């Protein structure tokens, strides 16, 4: 009996010393599923890359329709359920935050890298090895890009406009790039603070959308624009010269009690007294306002009670004070920065030194509505307003998104003052140099770097494919031209052939390319490292 009991014990101890076989199939399956899901997302936006890229029509659940070419917008609106595919959506968001443009590019590069990783994995290379090699290759790629970049000065307005119009060329509103590009450049340059020359806060550029007209009517306003009309129910003024403007955060209406209660009024004398008190209360406020010489009121929107009543509007009209009510809470900061004034939270604090001064406040009819323009502001803060016009809401929204991308491109150039060629030129050059570098490396690394180099060719390939050219012929010819030393040779989509892209004015900021490559690599490395998905209920 003892002998029989000893036998299984002996076999157990033997198996613990030698390595038993563990099934790795599940880990490979999960990796494959993750990579395929992420590639499906990348293929969805691939057709919208480049100046000849197609647009996507997104129909949301509530029946809203969006037509866009912007990678970040498309992915944002897509409902992606697979966790690895969600990482690509976040990837385009982070590119949008870092550079603003190149949101489609970054996803397409990530998709191509994942495709190469599948090949490497199927040859039995370990994911960690691939991941480390990709990291090395991306660092090397950034060095190569920096070496081929051309420095640019902010005073060189033409170069800035070229890069902004390159960004706009791939958008729906590309035919208006001659108007929108200079507008974007001027808008950014007007908000650059000389004390902090390499920081631009895009919140200082306010974009106001107004239906009517065409995109050609888009203009930059030195001052403020409100997409509302003046409250002149009681015949108040709609135009005010030499305006003294107060931004108030209290209401000009009779006070309410803090708690819910009802007052029973039994006879007329009491009723008259209530009305009289109301009138005196409002008149008292308006006299204090008038005493400081204020003649334009911007009233913050309030949820507690009406900002103004008919009675107060009547008295304000008599006092010749122009009233704009329902100013949004989050606009207050922008308004006070522009007007160089202070918001007034209480009538007791109403003083002349808290007012802003402007030459003209007037109501202008635009399309089917009205807007209020404040121009000629004295000691104006470093902000600017862009009024975007368009024939329908889809065009206006897309114009706003495109303008945002163009502003981001100019911001990138302010941050990092280098330009680089566009049109697939940097990617092919990277591919060539990394391919040469891969031959020097030993072991598996060389393989992985060569795959990285091949993956980068997806950008010129897709550009050619979207333009209806023969992608294989174009990319082969591009490689040939780069091997002969023409660093800036790229695909000219308009002519359908390969030309020197820098001379054709197709340029983009260095930051867009470098951040696209580093972010894409980072995302792919993360997806590679995942070997299991655990769902927690």
């Amino acid at each position: 009996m003892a002998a029989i009991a000893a036998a299984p014990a002996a076999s157990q101890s033997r198996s613990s010393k030698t390595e038993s076989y563990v099934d790795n199939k599940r880990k490979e399956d999960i990796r494959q599923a993750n990579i395929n899901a992420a590639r499906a997302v990348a293929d969805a936006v691939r057709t919208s890359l480049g100046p000849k890229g197609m647009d996507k029509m997104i129909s949301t659940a509530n029946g809203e329709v969006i037509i866009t070419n912007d990678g970040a917008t498309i992915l944002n609106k897509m409902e992606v359920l697979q966790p690895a595919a969600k990482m690509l959506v976040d990837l385009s968001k982070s590119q949008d935050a870092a550079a603003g443009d190149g949101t489609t590019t970054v996803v397409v590069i990530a998709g191509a890298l994942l495709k190469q990783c599948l090949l490497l994995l199927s040859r039995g290379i370990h994911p960690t090895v691939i991941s480390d090699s990709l990291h090395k290759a991306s660092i090397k790629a950034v060095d190569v890009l920096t070496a081929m970049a051309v420095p640019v000065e902010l005073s060189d307005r033409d170069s800035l406009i070229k890069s902004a119009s390159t960004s706009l060329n791939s958008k729906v509103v590309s035919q208006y790039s001659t108007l929108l590009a200079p507008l974007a450049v001027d808008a950014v340059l007007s908000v650059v603070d000389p004390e902090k020359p390499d920081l631009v806060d895009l919140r200082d550029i306010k974009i106001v959308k107004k239906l009517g007209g065409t995109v050609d009517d888009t203009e930059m306003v030195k001052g403020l624009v409100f997409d509302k009309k003046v409250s002149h129910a009681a015949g108040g003024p709609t135009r005010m010269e030499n305006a003294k403007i107060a931004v108030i955060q209290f209401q000009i209406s009779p006070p309410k009690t803090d708690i819910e209660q009802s007052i029973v009024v039994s006879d007329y004398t009491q009723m008259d007294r209530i009305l009289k008190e109301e009138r005196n209360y409002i008149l008292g406020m308006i006299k204090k306002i008038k005493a400081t010489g204020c003649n334009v009121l911007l009233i913050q929107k309030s949820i507690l009670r009406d900002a103004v009543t008919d009675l107060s509007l009547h008295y304000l009209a008599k006092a010749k004070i122009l009233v704009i009510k329902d100013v949004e809470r989050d606009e207050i900061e922008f308004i006070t920065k522009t007007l160089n004034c202070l918001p007034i939270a209480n009538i007791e604090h109403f003083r002349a030194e808290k007012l802003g001064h402007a030459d003209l406040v007037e109501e202008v009819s635009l399309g089917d509505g009205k807007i209020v323009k404040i121009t000629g502001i004295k000691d104006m803060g470093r902000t600017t307003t862009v009024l975007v016009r368009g024939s329908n809401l889809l065009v206006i929204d897309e114009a706003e998104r495109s303008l945002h991308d163009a502003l981001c491109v100019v911001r990138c150039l302010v941050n990092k003052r280098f330009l680089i060629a566009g049109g697939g030129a940097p990617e092919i050059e990277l591919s060539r140099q990394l391919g040469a570098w891969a031959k020097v490396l030993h072991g598996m690394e060389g393989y992985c770097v060569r795959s990285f180099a091949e993956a980068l060719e997806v950008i010129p390939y897709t550009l050619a494919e979207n333009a209806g050219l023969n992608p294989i012929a174009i990319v082969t010819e591009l490689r040939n031209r780069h091997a002969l030393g023409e660093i800036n040779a790229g695909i000219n989509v308009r002519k359908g052939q390969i030309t020197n892209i820098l001379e054709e004015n197709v340029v983009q900021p260095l930051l867009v390319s470098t951040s696209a490559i580093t972010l894409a690599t980072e995302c792919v490395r993360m997806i590679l490292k995942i070997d299991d998905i655990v769902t927690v209920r």
Side-chain angles (χ1 to χ4, degrees):
M1 195 69 190
I4 300 166
S11 66
Q12 274 176 355
S13 66
R14 196 179 311 134
S15 69
S16 65
K17 280 179 186 164
T18 59
E19 195 56 55
S20 58
Y21 171 71
V22 182
D23 184 19
N24 273 334
K25 187 82 184 86
R26 176 181 157 86
K27 294 179 179 174
E28 281 165 24
D29 285 348
I30 287 210
R31 222 174 250 126
Q32 191 132 5
N34 279 348
I35 291 179
N36 285 337
R39 276 181 59 198
V41 171
D43 288 343
V45 291
R46 213 182 112 177
T47 50
S48 66
L49 180 79
K52 296 274 190 202
M54 299 296 162
D55 302 330
K56 302 275 182 253
M57 191 177 214
I58 303 163
S59 168
T60 55
N62 55 8
E64 185 190 2
V65 176
I66 301 169
I67 297 178
T68 179
N69 194 310
D70 182 41
T73 313
I74 298 169
L75 291 176
N76 234 337
K77 301 287 178 196
M78 275 191 349
E79 289 206 0
V80 182
L81 299 175
Q82 218 273 355
K86 275 188 184 157
M87 288 167 66
L88 280 197
V89 179
D90 295 339
L91 170 70
S92 75
K93 276 186 196 163
S94 51
Q95 171 76 0
D96 203 19
D101 197 25
T103 46
T104 319
T105 314
V106 73
V107 178
V108 173
I109 290 178
L113 284 175
L114 286 169
K115 184 180 175 185
Q116 293 290 348
C117 289
L118 263 185
L119 287 173
L120 293 173
L121 286 170
S122 65
R123 290 182 189 151
I125 301 179
H126 196 275
T128 321
V129 178
I130 303 177
S131 165
D132 293 344
S133 313
L134 287 183
H135 184 57
K136 279 189 180 170
S138 76
I139 292 173
K140 173 84 175 169
V142 172
D143 293 346
V144 173
L145 282 175
T146 316
M148 59 184 285
V150 186
V152 63
E153 284 301 318
L154 285 189
S155 52
D156 180 7
R157 189 160 168 266
D158 288 349
S159 295
L160 298 181
I161 291 177
K162 281 175 200 166
S163 62
S165 60
T166 303
S167 161
L168 287 166
N169 275 339
S170 65
K171 304 282 184 263
V172 182
V173 288
S174 57
Q175 68 266 35
Y176 301 112
S177 60
T178 47
L179 165 84
L180 295 178
L183 194 136
V185 172
D186 294 340
V188 174
L189 291 184
S190 67
V191 299
V192 176
D193 193 348
E195 288 159 21
K196 299 194 281 281
D198 46 2
L199 278 179
V200 176
D201 188 357
L202 285 185
R203 282 174 301 194
D204 290 345
I205 301 172
K206 185 175 160 204
I207 298 181
V208 178
K209 298 180 286 192
K210 192 73 182 148
L211 196 61
T214 59
V215 183
D216 280 327
D217 301 329
T218 300
E219 56 177 340
M220 190 170 103
V221 181
K222 276 297 223 187
L224 272 175
V225 172
F226 292 101
D227 186 9
K228 338 183 150 35
K229 48 184 203 280
V230 176
S231 306
H232 46 70
T238 57
R239 178 189 164 97
M240 188 63 70
E241 290 178 7
N242 293 332
K244 291 184 179 165
I245 307 166
V247 180
I248 63 172
Q249 294 178 308
F250 56 88
Q251 294 80 34
I252 307 182
S253 58
K256 262 186 178 172
T257 47
D258 288 342
I259 46 177
E260 273 300 321
Q261 64 186 37
S262 50
I263 304 167
V264 180
V265 182
S266 53
D267 62 354
Y268 279 119
T269 50
Q270 288 173 322
M271 217 156 145
D272 284 347
R273 264 178 61 202
I274 293 175
L275 290 172
K276 195 174 168 191
E277 282 300 320
E278 262 187 34
R279 222 170 313 164
N280 289 345
Y281 179 82
I282 291 173
L283 270 174
M285 283 175 112
I286 291 173
K287 278 178 185 158
K288 282 181 185 166
I289 292 171
K290 196 65 188 158
T292 56
C294 161
N295 53 15
V296 175
L297 276 186
L298 305 178
I299 306 179
Q300 182 182 316
K301 199 170 188 171
S302 164
I303 49 173
L304 297 175
R305 59 180 207 243
D306 299 334
V308 283
T309 59
D310 290 346
L311 188 65
S312 58
L313 275 178
H314 170 75
Y315 285 128
L316 284 165
K318 280 200 167 168
K320 297 271 187 293
I321 294 176
L322 185 145
V323 183
I324 303 168
K325 63 175 187 184
D326 291 348
V327 175
E328 292 294 338
R329 178 103 182 230
D330 42 10
E331 287 178 13
I332 293 284
E333 187 187 349
F334 181 83
I335 292 169
T336 49
K337 186 172 181 178
T338 310
L339 292 173
N340 207 350
C341 65
L342 293 169
I344 303 165
N346 195 323
I347 185 71
E348 304 305 328
H349 305 158
F350 209 101
R351 296 195 196 91
E353 58 266 24
K354 290 192 178 180
L355 305 182
H357 299 270
D359 293 345
L360 180 63
V361 177
E362 65 173 336
E363 186 179 67
V364 190
S365 288
L366 266 192
D368 54 354
K370 293 184 174 175
I371 59 165
V372 180
K373 268 189 188 175
I374 301 181
T375 46
I377 300 170
K378 298 194 177 53
D379 308 327
M380 180 171 158
R382 290 191 169 276
T383 61
T384 187
T385 307
V386 178
L387 184 62
V388 179
R389 307 291 305 281
S391 50
N392 62 19
L393 284 173
L394 298 177
V395 174
I396 294 186
D397 287 343
E398 185 54 20
E400 184 199 15
R401 280 190 289 270
S402 310
L403 195 58
H404 174 76
D405 276 14
L407 292 171
C408 287
V409 165
V410 185
R411 183 187 67 179
C412 287
L413 283 175
V414 174
N415 288 354
K416 213 174 180 187
R417 297 175 189 189
F418 285 100
L419 276 177
I420 196 169
E427 283 83 8
I428 280 284
E429 183 59 25
L430 273 181
S431 183
R432 191 184 69 80
Q433 294 209 21
L434 289 175
W437 185 55
K439 289 176 183 162
V440 186
L441 294 171
H442 296 295
M444 291 296 181
E445 278 190 347
Y447 266 112
C448 301
V449 172
R450 191 176 311 143
S451 302
F452 185 94
E454 279 174 22
L456 287 174
E457 285 182 2
V458 72
I459 297 289
Y461 186 94
T462 310
L463 277 177
E465 195 177 38
N466 287 348
L469 310 169
N470 179 352
I472 296 171
I474 290 273
V475 173
T476 315
E477 172 66 10
L478 253 185
R479 277 191 210 149
N480 186 16
R481 297 281 278 274
H482 277 263
L484 295 174
E486 294 183 35
I487 291 187
N488 293 325
I491 304 171
N492 185 335
V493 185
R494 293 219 172 85
K495 293 181 181 168
Q497 61 205 47
I498 291 169
T499 51
N500 183 336
I501 283 289
L502 266 188
E503 289 166 12
E504 298 277 352
N505 299 337
V506 179
V507 285
Q508 59 190 28
L510 174 64
L511 196 61
V512 171
S513 292
T514 52
S515 87
I517 284 176
T518 44
L519 288 171
T521 317
E522 213 166 272
C523 180
V524 170
R525 287 179 64 202
M526 261 168 95
I527 292 178
L528 270 182
K529 291 268 182 86
I530 298 168
D531 71 346
D532 208 343
I533 296 178
V534 183
T535 47
V536 183
R537 285 281 170 267

